Amino acid sequence: METATLDGKAIALGDAYRHAGKILNGAAFPLVAGLGADVAGARAAILLAERLKGAFDHLASRETLADIDVKRSFGMFTTTANEARLRGDCVVLIGPGLTQAWPGMLERLALAEPPRRGAQAQQPRKVIWVGPDGDEANAVPGAKVIPASVQELSGVLAAWRARFGGRPVALDAEKVALIDGLVETLRNARFGVFVWSASTLDPLAIEMLQALVIELNATTRVTGVHIGGRSGASGVTQTAGWMTGFPPRTGFGRGYPEHDPWRFESSRLVDSGEADAALWISAFDGEKPSWSRADIPLITLAPAHTAPSRGLFIKVGQPGVTHDAVLMSQETGGMMLRRASAPTDAPSVAQAIGAIMAEVSEGAWR
């Protein structure tokens, strides 16, 4: 597989970097998007967006910002996966696809084992899973499974909160009895834990969940573990925070960082024509951009097997696979160095962007 292509035809890597610089030099408002990269790649991408006075966005920003919106406007109780594993005597899993979003979840939280510490140490751990998909329903032996579609999750949480407060709900007696039993289980927990992914919950549902957590904390101890977005979203968000003070969907058009989840959303910028060139980064799995406009000058940094047929493509390695990478760890809640499992000489995102930046003239750093 060629290391670089232009509209599907192989070109020399040096020529690819020069062509990328030409595209970005000629853009009035370039977009750095996708941002599926490790910490070093995210730093390089954000610096490039700043120097070009463009904008940057991550492909999983919707999920990331759903959690951030609740933190900013309402507040949020969270803990680490390790604390949940050691002390959680009642674990409530919310929504489908959690084992896809976090493949090591079942093992890391040790849901089939009793908690090791706390008031319920060595007592059977209660597990409730609301709305799992078909493959997940039997993943935890003995778990209480509550069938619910993604669209019904907000209503389920609202009903739980209402019954916890002693308020009536418009449900039949059998469902009310079921909810009351679950609420009583939560009320009697000594260290309850909710686990969710914003890929299936919107901000209002997350806020409803956190409101229930807050009310439960008046009489017991309950917290949460949120599963970060795909393609390194949590690490990129942390990197953006310490570099600019803001998460992704931030622009530098006025010479300083401005965060606006609507203005700097990548699909909107491209489809509206406000962005006139784009650098798309997806080093983990080569996920394609979701915007509908096809004529924007496009530079793609992704693994070899995902090369697009249009635009400029530069092959990069996969973080933690082809090269060592610092990534946010869901297991520890902190940054972690992941050693390359199958090292190659493919450039990292940071190296590729460094070569592109060398081709961007100072006059473009307007």
Side-chain angles (χ1 to χ4, degrees), residues 4-7 11 16 19-20 23 298-300 308 310-314:
T5 60
L6 180 60
D7 293 330
I11 62 172
H19 189 62
I23 291 172
L298 179 64
I299 306 158
T300 300
R310 186 188 71 82
L312 177 64
F313 167 77
I314 299 172

Side-chain angles (χ1 to χ4, degrees), residues 295-321:
D295 61 343
I296 186 170
L298 179 64
I299 306 158
T300 300
L301 305 183
H305 66 280
T306 63
S309 59
R310 186 188 71 82
L312 177 64
F313 167 77
I314 299 172
K315 183 182 80 170
V316 294
Q318 296 171 270
V321 178

Side-chain angles (χ1 to χ4, degrees), residues 221-310:
R221 188 179 181 188
V222 180
T223 185
V225 173
H226 67 97
I227 300 175
R230 65 195 187 281
S231 292
S234 296
V236 172
T237 300
Q238 291 288 332
T239 305
W242 78 58
M243 292 180 69
T244 70
F246 299 110
R249 296 191 181 173
T250 293
F252 298 96
R254 292 183 175 141
Y256 54 85
E258 297 178 282
H259 173 64
D260 190 313
W262 180 80
R263 283 172 60 202
F264 301 119
E265 194 273 321
S266 60
S267 292
R268 195 201 69 79
L269 283 172
V270 172
D271 292 338
S272 68
E274 292 173 50
D276 55 349
L279 171 63
W280 177 262
I281 304 164
S282 184
F284 289 94
D285 56 11
E287 181 174 339
K288 302 293 193 295
S290 60
W291 54 67
S292 58
R293 182 181 165 199
D295 61 343
I296 186 170
L298 179 64
I299 306 158
T300 300
L301 305 183
H305 66 280
T306 63
S309 59
R310 186 188 71 82

Side-chain angles (χ1 to χ4, degrees), residues 10-258:
I11 62 172
L13 189 56
D15 291 340
Y17 290 138
R18 282 187 287 275
H19 189 62
K22 181 179 178 180
I23 291 172
L24 297 174
N25 277 329
F29 191 74
L31 170 67
V32 179
L35 264 181
D38 56 6
V39 169
R43 289 189 71 247
I46 293 168
L47 284 173
L48 180 61
E50 179 185 23
R51 291 176 180 178
L52 291 166
K53 291 193 175 178
F56 68 90
D57 187 17
H58 191 278
L59 57 86
S61 284
R62 189 204 66 78
E63 294 98 309
T64 300
L65 292 174
D67 282 324
I68 290 176
D69 283 349
V70 176
K71 289 180 183 179
R72 288 191 287 205
S73 64
F74 187 78
M76 184 177 287
F77 282 87
T78 59
T79 189
T80 64
N82 195 51
E83 191 73 357
R85 173 193 180 105
L86 292 176
R87 300 181 183 275
D89 61 316
C90 180
V91 178
V92 184
L93 308 169
I94 305 293
L98 299 186
T99 55
Q100 284 75 46
W102 182 10
M105 181 188 75
L106 299 178
E107 293 75 18
R108 186 64 184 182
L109 296 182
L111 296 178
E113 302 173 10
R116 299 179 186 177
R117 298 180 184 172
Q120 299 297 315
Q122 303 308 319
Q123 298 299 311
R125 195 193 308 266
K126 297 181 177 66
V127 179
I128 302 167
W129 199 328
V130 183
D133 64 25
D135 295 333
E136 294 172 326
N138 300 316
V140 184
K144 177 71 174 179
V145 175
I146 310 297
S149 67
V150 170
Q151 294 74 23
E152 293 171 329
L153 293 175
S154 295
V156 170
L157 293 168
W160 283 18
R161 188 183 176 200
R163 293 307 297 163
F164 178 78
R167 297 181 293 274
V169 293
L171 297 171
D172 60 50
E174 183 179 353
K175 289 184 177 179
V176 171
L178 172 62
I179 293 171
D180 286 349
L182 295 171
V183 167
E184 192 64 21
T185 298
L186 289 169
R187 198 190 303 270
N188 292 331
R190 301 299 295 273
F191 195 102
V193 181
F194 283 85
V195 182
W196 79 94
S197 167
S199 62
T200 54
L201 295 184
D202 60 27
L204 288 178
I206 297 170
E207 184 172 316
M208 183 66 69
L209 185 157
Q210 285 297 318
L212 178 59
V213 169
I214 288 172
E215 291 173 1
L216 284 163
N217 269 304
T219 56
T220 186
R221 188 179 181 188
V222 180
T223 185
V225 173
H226 67 97
I227 300 175
R230 65 195 187 281
S231 292
S234 296
V236 172
T237 300
Q238 291 288 332
T239 305
W242 78 58
M243 292 180 69
T244 70
F246 299 110
R249 296 191 181 173
T250 293
F252 298 96
R254 292 183 175 141
Y256 54 85
E258 297 178 282

